[in-house]
């Protein structure tokens, strides 16, 4: 499954643009930019391992329930009335046609919630409370002792889809895409190929990455074939950090370690002018979100650091301009 958003893409492009066109861009702030998530630069299981760790750090039981819910889903899928039973259990607006859609519905909820585990209430992908991963795990941990793992997983996922309490049923198979996230699928089928797998450490079912199968799906869906090595050829592969150190300057890589995309980002200073700002409780480009009265001190400080660094770049630019 491939998950992303436009802001992440723009953050990656910001770093690449500064690297490629230093005579045009004074600097770049790349927030939650997974520039290492290509080819074999990092382990392919990094993303889903990180999602799983977000839940495991909150509650071992929560992690275990979600991990065990997939087997229960598979067991139900073998029953004669599986689709009818799942349609009722998941309160679907229309009768289900495939059990795979239930897996994807649950999967999406857990991954996106980990991504947007913001310290304040937000409405980015969906309306969600502050630290929604913790809230999901509370739902699971406080479930009745006789509840199945799958029913607990459903209850937790419902927080993502219905925190506002406005949904009377769920469009499990035909949910609308108001943010245009499906556009990312085109990107991954052309240039932004990010292989992802699920290891035994993951709370998701173990899976591999079959490039031939992936390419065939792209051909059938869009009539195109991916260029799996284009990014690393154009911008640098396993030696990208050395490329950045030698040719780059004035780039801030900000990453919150709650964000699974941070595993594909730069999380340590590469040079005096290529700086990593890392927050332990930060989520996906939380520093790009509008300030609120409830922002924690660490987020306020992170934004202040970013502004100070950018101001320094501007001051240096105008000094150089006067002496040119």
């Amino acid at each position: 499954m491939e998950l992303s958003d436009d802001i992440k893409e723009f953050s990656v492009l910001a770093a690449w643009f500064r690297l490629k066109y230093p005579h045009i861009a004074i600097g770049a702030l790349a927030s939650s930019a997974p520039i290492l998530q290509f080819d074999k630069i990092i382990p392919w299981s990094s993303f889903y391992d990180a999602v799983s760790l977000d839940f495991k750090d909150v509650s071992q039981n929560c992690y275990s329930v979600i991990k065990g819910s997939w087997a229960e889903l598979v067991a139900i899928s073998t029953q004669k009335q599986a689709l009818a039973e799942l349609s009722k259990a998941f309160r679907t607006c229309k009768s289900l046609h495939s059990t795979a859609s239930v897996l994807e519905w649950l999967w999406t909820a857990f991954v996106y919630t980990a991504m947007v585990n913001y310290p304040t209430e937000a409405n980015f992908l969906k309306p969600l409370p502050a630290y929604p991963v913790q809230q999901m795990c509370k739902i699971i941990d406080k479930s009745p002792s006789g509840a199945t793992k799958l029913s607990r997983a459903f209850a937790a996922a419902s927080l993502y889809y219905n925190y506002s309490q406005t949904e009377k049923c769920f469009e499990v198979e035909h949910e609308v895409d108001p943010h245009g996230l499906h556009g990312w699928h085109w990107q991954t089928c052309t240039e932004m190929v990010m292989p992802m797998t699920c290891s035994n450490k993951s709370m998701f079912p173990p899976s591999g990455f079959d490039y031939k199968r992936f390419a065939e799906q792209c051909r059938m869906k869009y009539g195109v074939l991916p260029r799996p090595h284009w990014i690393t050829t154009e911008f640098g592969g396993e030696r990208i950090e050395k490329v950045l150190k030698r040719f780059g300057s004035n780039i801030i890589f900000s990453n919150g370690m709650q964000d699974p995309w941070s595993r594909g980002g730069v999380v340590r200073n590469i040079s005096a002018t290529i700086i990593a700002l890392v927050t332990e409780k930060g989520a996906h480009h939380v520093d790009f979100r509008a300030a609120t009265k409830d922002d924690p001190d660490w987020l306020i400080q992170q934004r202040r650091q970013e502004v100070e660094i950018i101001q320094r770049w501007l001051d240096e630019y105008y000094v150089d301009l006067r002496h040119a």
Side-chain angles (χ1 to χ4, degrees):
M1 301 184 71
E2 294 158 12
L3 301 160
S4 184
D5 62 87
D6 291 338
I7 299 294
K8 177 183 67 60
E9 180 186 339
F10 293 152
S11 294
V12 172
L13 290 176
W16 287 337
F17 192 88
R18 169 58 185 169
L19 184 62
K20 284 287 187 178
Y21 306 106
H23 60 296
I24 297 176
I26 295 174
L29 170 53
S31 177
S32 303
I35 65 167
L36 309 179
Q37 193 86 43
F38 299 94
D39 257 344
K40 297 182 180 179
I41 301 176
I42 62 170
W44 289 354
S45 65
S46 298
F47 181 91
Y48 290 117
D49 285 348
V51 173
S52 304
L53 189 61
D54 283 352
F55 284 85
K56 194 174 187 177
D57 282 347
V58 173
S59 163
Q60 175 69 45
N61 177 64
C62 180
Y63 162 86
S64 298
V65 166
I66 296 171
K67 189 177 180 69
S69 67
W70 312 113
E72 290 189 2
L73 178 59
V74 170
I76 290 176
S77 68
T78 63
Q79 298 175 11
K80 189 175 182 180
Q81 299 297 322
L83 293 176
E85 184 178 337
L86 287 171
S87 297
K88 180 179 180 181
F90 280 72
R91 292 168 44 206
T92 62
C93 299
K94 298 176 182 178
S95 297
L96 293 170
H97 295 88
S98 168
T99 57
S101 58
V102 174
L103 184 146
E104 184 173 352
W105 188 84
L106 291 170
W107 192 304
T108 298
F110 298 136
V111 172
Y112 275 136
T113 299
M115 226 174 76
V116 298
N117 194 35
Y118 297 134
T120 58
E121 191 173 70
N123 185 13
F124 174 41
L125 298 176
K126 300 278 189 182
L128 287 171
Y131 292 119
V133 170
Q134 284 88 327
Q135 297 306 313
M136 274 191 172
C137 285
K138 279 185 181 179
I139 291 171
I140 287 176
D141 290 343
K142 292 183 178 180
S143 296
S145 58
T148 65
K149 292 177 180 178
L150 186 59
S151 67
R152 295 181 189 192
F154 164 74
S158 297
L159 178 79
Y160 176 76
Y161 293 106
N162 194 27
Y163 172 62
S164 60
Q165 296 292 307
T166 58
E167 302 297 328
K168 296 181 180 179
C169 60
F170 295 113
E171 294 286 357
V172 173
E173 291 183 331
H174 304 287
E175 191 185 18
V176 295
D177 181 26
H179 303 289
L181 297 178
H182 289 159
W184 178 248
H185 297 165
W186 163 263
Q187 288 286 82
T188 60
C189 275
T190 51
E191 299 171 348
M192 305 285 283
V193 180
M194 295 181 172
M196 292 183 181
T197 62
C198 292
S199 71
N200 290 329
K201 296 179 182 178
S202 169
M203 66 184 190
F204 301 101
S207 65
F209 178 77
D210 184 335
Y211 173 74
K212 289 184 178 180
R213 182 168 175 267
F214 170 68
E216 178 60 20
Q217 289 173 341
C218 291
R219 186 191 66 77
M220 292 178 64
K221 192 170 185 179
Y222 300 113
V224 299
L225 291 176
R227 291 194 284 172
H229 309 297
W230 184 82
I231 292 294
T232 49
T233 300
E234 182 72 12
F235 299 105
E238 294 184 9
R239 297 169 63 84
I240 181 61
E241 291 194 10
K242 290 185 178 180
V243 171
L244 285 167
K245 187 174 184 179
R246 183 173 180 182
F247 300 107
S249 63
N250 290 6
I251 302 175
I252 302 169
F253 288 101
S254 64
N255 281 289
M257 300 312 290
Q258 294 289 305
D259 179 15
W261 290 112
S262 67
R263 301 311 193 271
V266 175
V267 294
R268 61 181 179 83
N269 292 347
I270 293 178
S271 70
T273 57
I274 301 182
I275 302 164
L277 297 181
V278 180
T279 55
E280 288 301 318
K281 294 184 179 181
H284 198 52
H285 56 71
V286 65
D287 50 329
F288 278 10
R289 296 194 58 76
T292 74
K293 62 180 178 59
D294 298 319
D295 287 341
D297 290 341
W298 58 263
L299 179 54
I300 295 170
Q301 177 61 22
Q302 180 186 7
R303 291 184 180 133
R304 184 179 294 125
Q305 283 182 278
E306 292 171 354
V307 171
E308 289 173 353
I309 293 169
I310 293 171
Q311 185 62 57
R312 187 163 67 245
W313 294 343
L314 292 170
D315 292 343
E316 291 170 353
Y317 171 77
Y318 285 113
V319 168
D320 291 344
L321 198 62
R322 285 195 295 269
H323 291 86

